[in-house]
Amino acid sequence: MLGVKRRTRRWVAIAVMGVAVLAAGLGILVPSIAYADEGCEVEYTVSSEWPGGFTANVAITNLGSAVSGWDLAWTFPNGQRVTQAWGAITTSSGDQVTATNESYNGSISSSGTVSFGFNGSWTGANEVPGSFTLNGTVCDGGVAEPTTPPETTPPPTGSVSAMETVAAMQPGWNLGNSLDSVGPDETAWGNPVITQALIENIADQGYNSIRIPVTWDDHQGGAPDYAVEGAYLDRVEEVVGWALDADLYVVLNIHHDSWIWIADMNSNRTVVEARYESIWNTLADRFRDASPKLLFESINEPQFNNVDDATAYALLDDLNVSFHEIVRGSGGGNADRVLILPTLHTNADQERLDALTETIEALDDPNLAATIHYYGFWPFSVNIAGYTTFDAEVQQDITDTFDRAYDEFVANGIPVLIGEYGLLGFDAHTGTIEQGEKLKFFEYAGYYANEKELTLQLWDNGQHLGRTSFQWSDPELFAMLDASVHGRSGTAETDQVFIAQSDAVTDETVQLNLNGTSFEGLHHGSTPLVEGTDYTVSGSTLTLKASKLTELLGDRSHGVRADLHAEFSQGAPWRISIVSYDTPTVSAASGSASSFAVPTAFNGDQLATMEAVYADGTPAGPQNWTSYKEFARAFGPDYTAGQISLTSDFFAEVNDGQKVTLTFHFWSGETVTYYVTESGGNVTGSLS
């Protein structure tokens, strides 16, 4: 799970791997606990599972009066063991486990929820526990009568600050490419109709906030009123209502209208202002009395055509000020609702931040938040120019960006919502960035955002969480996102050890990135490897012994022969794949520039990047400032079909009739050279 979820509704448990739902009566064993009619619910969810290991989340919902300390106990049914925990202190005696609150989460308000998570080990089966006890009382599904008179605690005075609101939204998720799609309805960009089950699943997965982008262009009438289509507004309200019912914080905005028509504000100011004000007047009126957990964002990624930056800053200031006046002027809950203002392009360059600060200072409103977006150091985020690894330069970009946002806003009492974050390469293919390098990016981004008190909302347009299956397409990514909310995870220089099929097997070393954790062991499936025999560890150097590698390689056929998992004192485990390979081979081919592919026997190896140059050494193809082309945009591997495709976009910018030398770089370190010549739309590929 990705954090504490508080909700007063009766929850529906929807999990990635498995769920147990139980009800518990609160016990009377801790003197500091205030007792009244007591009861609680316990949700035990296995969020990810791999051979021999799993990650679980336990959520306790208090149905009675507030408690100020808790112990939750259960018995594992299949000999499972907790290997590391966060959000609770766990002790074990055989199959018996007791989880005790940390100092910061011992209090659970009436109808409140607290959660903790852990990594565990299993063999044979991984069934969920059959029952729980809370403070010594067996779960019975009922509410017990009080045995001690309740203590009366006066309600807190004062409203929740904007800083506290945005902090409580961590972590967040984007409902991308649905209501923001450009077309007749929310399915126009290929996603299914939004369901209440999807929204509840987001809450049950541990997300605390949801950003609901909305594009209004196709649902707004003409002059002079520019009225918002009633049925569409009703549909938006329905989805927002589902999210609020799930006890999620919600961000509602104007989305792709930013580039569809608002971008022409400088040349079409009267119309743009009228349309913009009509939308916000409508939304302010419709949601005037909505929960304060609904936040408004003035506009997504604001941009303006054919203007310099100074003019763009002034135009954005006008929109933000107009938005603020409309919402605040509508009264009701909008009088102090948290409002989110973006920088130009939602960019974190210092000049952009400074311009937004001027607007915020002039508005002099304590219930404002700033928003930026972050998709990583650009060459790495799309895999171009040879930036295939999460190196020091890529990490420094995260550090610098988050530092600027903190120094400009958070340090001055203005909360920051990173309303979209991820990797740009995901738009082309989720495999654009190699798996281990991708995981290191999200591990550090999550950790450093927490360090700088920035709230992250993952951009997901359907490529991460299945909208109807509720399954994560990449469980390793979800496990790392989950762990990054709670602290750091150990990683390593690589998640692949390549051993050439024809070479003698020798010891292999892997440098661990401990990230403040300690290494606790290495597993192959459910089997722990033996330190000193199967591997050794010296400082941060893990050495895999030749004898064990020989066993794991087996007949040494090409491909992944074994997956090992390094476990650390906290965070997600780190997979290390043992790969048997030979140097890939390519074959001559001919075809059309619109669908040309290089026949390739990958022989267990994986493609990292591709260079393209003319005979004189100058870069060929698109983005010719670099010889290294963009992964999935100019080229891409198809391991099943046995080919490397070169796209029509690549050939569109190759000189007609001029031979191009391609160098394919593989993750094993091998390189393979190939030649292509395009003439009149026809391509010839050769080995010389």
Side-chain angles (χ1 to χ4, degrees), residues 154-397:
T157 59
S159 60
V160 177
S161 70
M163 189 72 75
E164 291 169 325
T165 295
V166 173
M169 296 169 67
Q170 175 83 313
W173 182 83
N174 272 269
L175 183 61
N177 286 19
S178 286
L179 289 167
D180 60 310
S181 60
V182 178
D185 62 30
E186 66 204 69
T187 68
W189 283 0
N191 277 320
V193 171
I194 303 161
T195 63
Q196 187 171 9
L198 169 64
I199 303 302
E200 290 180 343
N201 183 266
I202 294 302
D204 289 330
Q205 297 254 358
Y207 283 98
N208 287 325
S209 63
I210 183 171
R211 184 169 178 256
I212 303 178
V214 182
T215 299
W216 303 93
D217 181 53
D218 286 322
H219 307 282
Q220 190 174 21
D225 297 331
Y226 299 106
V228 174
E229 176 188 313
Y232 193 67
L233 182 62
D234 290 344
R235 175 58 174 160
V236 171
E237 183 179 25
E238 180 178 43
V239 176
V240 169
W242 289 339
L244 293 173
D245 287 345
D247 206 19
L248 290 163
Y249 287 87
V250 181
V251 175
L252 183 63
N253 75 353
I254 293 177
H255 205 75
H256 291 303
D257 306 86
S258 62
W259 56 264
I260 296 172
W261 53 272
I262 293 176
D264 291 324
M265 183 174 176
N266 196 51
S267 60
N268 196 24
R269 188 169 188 134
T270 300
V271 171
V272 168
E273 287 182 339
R275 293 188 66 179
Y276 181 81
E277 291 169 6
S278 173
I279 294 171
W280 276 119
N281 274 305
T282 301
L283 293 177
D285 178 68
R286 178 62 68 98
F287 294 102
R288 180 178 182 274
D289 297 315
S291 164
K293 297 185 82 167
L294 172 63
L295 291 74
F296 291 151
E297 176 188 9
S298 65
I299 183 174
N300 172 73
E301 298 184 352
Q303 54 200 275
F304 303 97
N305 296 328
N306 305 315
V307 299
D308 58 20
D309 279 355
T311 302
Y313 294 142
L315 293 172
L316 178 56
D317 179 74
D318 285 350
L319 290 178
N320 280 334
V321 169
S322 175
F323 160 72
H324 181 266
E325 290 177 349
I326 290 169
V327 176
R328 289 289 183 254
S330 64
N334 292 334
D336 56 5
R337 187 178 307 283
V338 175
L339 304 181
I340 304 169
L341 305 182
T343 61
L344 184 64
H345 299 288
T346 330
N347 176 274
D349 289 349
Q350 190 60 52
E351 188 178 275
R352 313 290 203 224
L353 303 179
D354 291 341
L356 181 57
T357 293
E358 291 185 16
T359 298
I360 291 174
E361 288 179 345
L363 291 174
D364 192 24
D365 182 337
N367 288 319
L368 297 180
T371 186
I372 59 172
H373 292 174
Y374 188 70
Y375 284 99
F377 181 61
W378 180 72
F380 171 78
S381 73
V382 300
N383 192 348
I384 196 173
Y387 283 91
T388 57
T389 62
F390 183 73
D391 61 14
E393 189 174 6
V394 180
Q395 178 174 309
Q396 191 63 45
D397 190 76

Side-chain angles (χ1 to χ4, degrees), residues 47-56 83-86 118-122 435-436 439-440 443 474-484 487-492 494-495 512-513 515 517-525 563-577:
S47 59
S48 61
E49 183 177 282
W50 58 93
F54 68 102
T55 298
T83 57
Q84 58 193 73
W86 49 89
F118 65 86
N119 288 332
S121 62
W122 64 281
Q435 182 72 358
L439 296 178
K440 285 184 276 188
E443 189 279 330
D474 186 344
E476 284 185 330
L477 174 59
F478 176 70
M480 189 62 79
L481 291 171
D482 179 5
S484 72
R488 298 220 66 177
S489 292
T491 64
T494 184
D495 61 344
L512 302 174
N513 304 317
N515 297 331
T517 72
S518 58
F519 175 79
E520 293 202 339
L522 193 64
H523 282 73
H524 177 217
D563 284 329
L564 308 181
H565 285 91
E567 295 187 355
F568 302 89
S569 55
Q570 67 177 41
W574 183 260
R575 173 186 46 78
I576 302 172
S577 295

Side-chain angles (χ1 to χ4, degrees), residues 19 32-33 72 137 152 180 211 319 353 447 517 611 637 669 678:
V19 175
S32 61
I33 298 176
L72 188 74
T137 297
T152 302
D180 60 310
R211 184 169 178 256
L319 290 178
L353 303 179
Y447 151 73
T517 72
E611 284 187 276
E678 186 271 334

